[in-house]
Amino acid sequence: MLALTSPYRTQLLVGIVAIAVASLLGLALPLLARDLFNRAFEAERVLPEITDLNRITLVLLAIFLVQAVFNFLRVYLLGLVGEGVVADLRKLLYGHLLGLSVPFFDRRKTGEITSRLTADVATVQAAVSQGLAQLVSQSVTLLGASVVLLVLNARLTLVMLAVVPPVIVAGALFGRRLRRISTRFQDRVAEANADAEEALGGIRVVKSFTAEDLERKRYARSIDESFGLGRSRAVARALFVPSIILALFAGIALVLWYGGRQVLLGALAPGDLVAFLFLMLFVAGSLGTFTGLYSQLQEAIGASQRIFELLDVAGEAMSGEGLSGEADSTAAVSGADVSRESPSAAGTEVSPRRDIRGRVEFHGVSFAYGDRGDALVLEQVDLLAQPGEVIALVGPSGAGKSTLVSLLPRFYEPLAGRITLDGHDLSDLELPELRSQIAMVPQETHLFSGTVSENIRYGKPAADDREVVEAARAANADGFVSEFPEGYGTLVGERGVKLSGGQRQRLAIARALLKDPRILILDEATSSLDSESEALIQTALERLMIGRTTFVIAHRLATVLSADRIVVLDRGRIVQQGPHAALLAQGGLYRELYLRQFDVESLTER
């Protein structure tokens, strides 16, 4: 965390200096009181004059005024540093999350990740923005008061320090326990958030199955578990804080007893004892504040461990030789400050290379998902797609069709074999550059909660309004968009909930058209649409596929009959490939799938 303070080095230094000055000025009160009391109790009984009292009071007021100025500086500057550090941490964590690989998100719940981004960072924020100023302030006060106490009376200071070992032991015992409980507490809260996010994200499914009570109980169970841990944390705090306060007041009582004996014996001036007790209160106040800070720190450490667990996860390898075959060090950008106000600001635009033709070849590719028992999903796949060719991928469910196309943008890495683009191994290419050449139109279109224009422009953030409209027209989307009162400025709602399935799909096609890729992946793009929407989208897709190497996944074979080549997969292997007529005449799995599907369709029509 300390490394994150480097951009705020000046504010931090000035803030620490302000703390030192303000804390040291606070020590003037006991020293001035010492002088006043010593003169009042002198053997000659020469009482101080009223003017001396007035002078001391004015001096104190002046000191307190200056101290107030420095207190303002230290609270403001260290608060600024704390808020800045936490803001940078949020951006760092979010930027790192966006750079993690797809398999990472396959293994984690979205709610758990967002909990670390929100709840855990908020816990750290409370410790950094508020605790930092108090920590430095109380440290300076404690150190300064201890030095003054040693100068006043070393023997009495040693008596006071007798309470320090119990404080240290209590801190060590309760601190470790508090950290463990806090970490487990944050884990339970993250689980509850993950359950809530899933239920709220699929609220229509929840309501259609009348599962509100089920989801309510599941969330309540997680919250009850976190409440149990919160109760344990409250018990630890309740034992820790009073124990420290008891030790501190016992120390004050011990100093008062021992110092009073010294005064009665004439070995200690009364004013020295008064000043000593004042300074003891300063020390006790600092140590008392430290107990609260210590428990807050332990909770923040538990939260920060969860944050840095994510930051320690290795991101996707962004570097490579580039599409030209030469190293390109400028493609990897680190430390960028990206403010995402709309979906269009979410990505880094990479200009497509004009010399890319789109020749894709799979060389003996095998793949397995590590969390599925390492069973091969693809096995020894050899496939060549020529530039501009339309390749249809068909086969039974689970044959590996979606997995095959997911390897193209390197969402996953092959277990064996390699994939090339125009002869260049994909693993040697810059990820942003590679993915700028690929556009995907999935079955379930994901739109962001911005405007129509922002969602289309997501494919090319720098596009002007004319380009956006042209892409929408080509995707047969301009007609329905123009009917909206706000046109392209219409908000689509979260995940495009205000639009129909066909409308969302046409915006996805417009987004892909605007990106102008060399490789196109269509994953069941029309399977869940009505006939009218399917006809409009099929026309838009035909425009989109012109001149691009296209991979089409389809269960409905009627949509791929015109493909240049149909590739049939079964259990991760290519078992047939060729044009529709040749495959139908050849027999085998394709013919079986075709006859089965068209028999079912004819029965349905009857």
Side-chain angles (χ1 to χ4, degrees), residues 288-441:
T289 303
F290 278 136
T291 60
L293 286 175
Y294 188 68
S295 62
Q296 187 182 35
L297 177 64
Q298 294 303 316
E299 293 172 23
I301 288 174
S304 62
Q305 284 176 339
R306 288 163 47 82
I307 292 171
F308 282 97
E309 279 177 9
L310 290 183
L311 290 175
D312 287 340
V313 177
E316 293 179 305
M318 304 296 285
S319 61
E321 294 182 0
L323 292 176
S324 61
E326 300 175 355
D328 184 3
S329 60
T330 60
V333 180
S334 63
D337 182 9
V338 180
S339 175
R340 187 178 183 276
E341 296 180 357
S342 69
S344 62
T348 302
E349 183 184 355
V350 181
S351 299
R353 297 286 183 92
R354 296 180 181 178
D355 56 348
I356 298 305
R357 298 173 57 243
R359 185 177 188 271
V360 177
E361 189 167 4
F362 291 77
H363 305 266
V365 171
S366 297
F367 177 78
Y369 292 101
D371 58 349
R372 300 185 186 177
D374 293 329
L376 288 177
V377 181
L378 296 174
E379 188 174 357
Q380 292 295 313
V381 172
D382 291 296
L383 178 63
L384 172 63
Q386 296 289 357
E389 190 175 14
V390 177
I391 303 292
L393 302 174
V394 301
S397 183
K401 304 182 293 294
S402 295
T403 300
L404 183 69
V405 296
S406 294
L407 297 178
L408 280 175
R410 287 181 58 195
F411 291 158
Y412 304 94
E413 299 292 341
L415 187 67
R418 65 194 188 100
I419 308 170
T420 61
L421 173 59
D422 288 356
H424 302 288
D425 197 309
L426 295 190
S427 61
D428 293 333
L429 307 181
E430 300 282 354
L431 272 183
E433 191 174 22
L434 168 65
R435 290 173 182 171
S436 72
Q437 306 292 334
I438 301 172
M440 304 183 73
V441 180

Side-chain angles (χ1 to χ4, degrees), residues 83-101:
E83 296 291 346
V85 165
V86 172
D88 291 343
L89 178 60
R90 288 185 189 276
K91 290 188 287 186
L92 176 66
L93 180 58
Y94 183 67
H96 182 72
L97 285 170
L98 291 179
L100 296 180
S101 63

Side-chain angles (χ1 to χ4, degrees), residues 450-454 481 484-492:
T451 65
V452 170
S453 176
E454 288 169 343
V481 173
F484 293 143
E486 297 180 17
Y488 286 84
T490 301
L491 293 172
V492 302

Side-chain angles (χ1 to χ4, degrees), residues 89-118:
L89 178 60
R90 288 185 189 276
K91 290 188 287 186
L92 176 66
L93 180 58
Y94 183 67
H96 182 72
L97 285 170
L98 291 179
L100 296 180
S101 63
V102 171
F104 169 83
F105 294 97
D106 291 343
R107 296 188 298 268
R108 302 289 186 109
K109 289 185 176 181
T110 304
E112 179 204 348
I113 296 172
T114 54
S115 176
R116 299 199 184 194
L117 187 62
T118 54

Side-chain angles (χ1 to χ4, degrees), residues 383 389-395 401 404 522 550-554 556-557 559-569 576-578 583 590:
L383 178 63
E389 190 175 14
V390 177
I391 303 292
L393 302 174
V394 301
K401 304 182 293 294
L404 183 69
L522 306 176
T550 305
F551 293 87
V552 182
I553 299 175
R556 296 175 61 186
L557 301 184
T559 62
V560 297
L561 300 182
S562 60
D564 296 314
R565 189 152 35 105
I566 298 173
V567 176
V568 186
L569 286 96
Q576 289 178 288
Q577 57 178 307
L583 290 177
Y590 180 78

